[in-house]
Amino acid sequence: LVLPFPRASFFAATGPPFVGLRTLPPTLAPRCVAVLCCLLPSLMSGFKLHAEFAQRAVAHAGKMEWVPSPMKGVERRMLDRIGSEVARATTVVRYEVGSSFRKHVHGGGEEFLVLSGVFSDSSGDYPTGAYIRNPPTSEHAPWSKEGCVILVKLHQMNLEDRTHVVIATDKMKAVEPKDRDGVDVVPLFCDGAEDVRMENWRPNCNITLDLPKGGEFFVVEGSFTEAQDLLEEWSWLRLPPGATLDATAGNAGAKLWVKTGHLADIDLARYETFQ
């Protein structure tokens, strides 16, 4: 059985289509799920995953199953989402060798980090470590000749933003902020509404950071612990506005993609029509 979102989130979902699924006998639940999958176009309408931005959220993409996208050879592991195929989304996406995605317009912008392999479109080839921002109204028809995995965020940019960004993060020199011991930073983007960067945390260092407007932390390499959760490669943590990050890097340290300052003023009405 293949679902377009993680099984755990499916059974944890609330709302009329899912009422009672969690309490069904094990022998009956799979049959009910199979029937519901026939109705997925309507069931996915208004789908939400980790959509409460005032709450802490954790997902371990490295341990999830890959689920198919509408395009053959392109699969996903969803971290947060509002909507079905047109969605405000944070997702780990895998392109199989030789796969491609149809031409599409980024109505709300697209931001991604190449985790492995080489991602390509008409603008060029982007290897592991490439950070790209395709602003609202931009379009492309991407492919991957050798296969790749990317962390991608959709419909999360200012609709007036027209800044295109391409950065080879592994070729950038990291700097150590004066007020953050044990941390090296590679700035990627900052516009007053969001601050995006790569961070390297030294082994076993305690990392604290006040987050008046919230923050997201995605583990590219290594590991860290936070609130008794162990976050390893491809784990994702989102902390709400007003929270304080209190983490400890693992024995090998941690390399993270980080975004802060963007969760306090989310216009949820913008996503009400997403289906």
Side-chain angles (χ1 to χ4, degrees), residues 104-111 133-140 153-165 189 191 194 270-271:
H104 56 278
V105 177
H106 303 122
E110 174 193 61
E111 170 186 21
R133 289 178 68 94
N134 291 318
T137 74
S138 63
E139 62 182 28
H140 68 173
K153 297 178 77 67
L154 298 173
H155 284 280
Q156 299 181 41
M157 293 183 182
N158 184 320
L159 294 177
E160 304 304 316
D161 188 355
R162 295 296 181 269
T163 306
H164 180 62
V165 175
F189 181 82
D191 68 353
E194 59 179 308
R270 170 178 165 182
Y271 310 112

Side-chain angles (χ1 to χ4, degrees), residues 182 200-206 248-254:
N200 297 305
W201 296 356
R202 294 172 193 166
N204 303 308
C205 278
N206 180 248
T248 301
N251 292 334

Side-chain angles (χ1 to χ4, degrees), residues 44-48 82-88 155 159 267-275:
M44 281 289 284
S45 177
F47 176 70
K48 294 182 179 181
I82 300 176
S84 54
E85 289 309 319
V86 177
R88 181 199 189 279
H155 284 280
L159 294 177
D267 180 12
L268 294 177
R270 170 178 165 182
Y271 310 112
E272 287 181 351
T273 60
F274 284 9
Q275 301 294 324

Side-chain angles (χ1 to χ4, degrees), residues 71 74 95 98-106 110 112 118-126 134 138-145:
M71 302 302 294
V74 182
Y95 282 71
S99 61
S100 62
F101 207 91
R102 62 175 176 264
K103 187 174 182 179
H104 56 278
V105 177
H106 303 122
E110 174 193 61
F112 65 91
V118 178
F119 178 98
S120 301
D121 63 17
S122 59
S123 298
D125 299 319
Y126 306 112
N134 291 318
S138 63
E139 62 182 28
H140 68 173
W143 71 88
S144 183
K145 184 177 180 180

Side-chain angles (χ1 to χ4, degrees), residues 215-261:
E216 293 181 64
F217 305 83
F218 181 87
V219 182
V220 178
E221 297 175 7
S223 65
F224 72 91
T225 56
E226 198 272 345
Q228 299 183 340
D229 280 313
L230 174 62
L231 291 97
E232 301 176 293
E233 186 176 84
W234 295 5
S235 289
W236 168 82
L237 169 68
R238 191 185 69 213
L239 294 177
T244 297
L245 174 73
D246 186 0
T248 301
N251 292 334
K255 179 179 180 180
L256 300 96
W257 174 93
V258 176
K259 177 181 285 199
T260 58

Side-chain angles (χ1 to χ4, degrees), residues 192-195 197 211-216 259-265:
E194 59 179 308
D195 185 340
R197 57 200 183 269
L211 300 166
K213 294 188 177 182
E216 293 181 64
K259 177 181 285 199
T260 58
H262 61 301
L263 297 174
D265 302 308

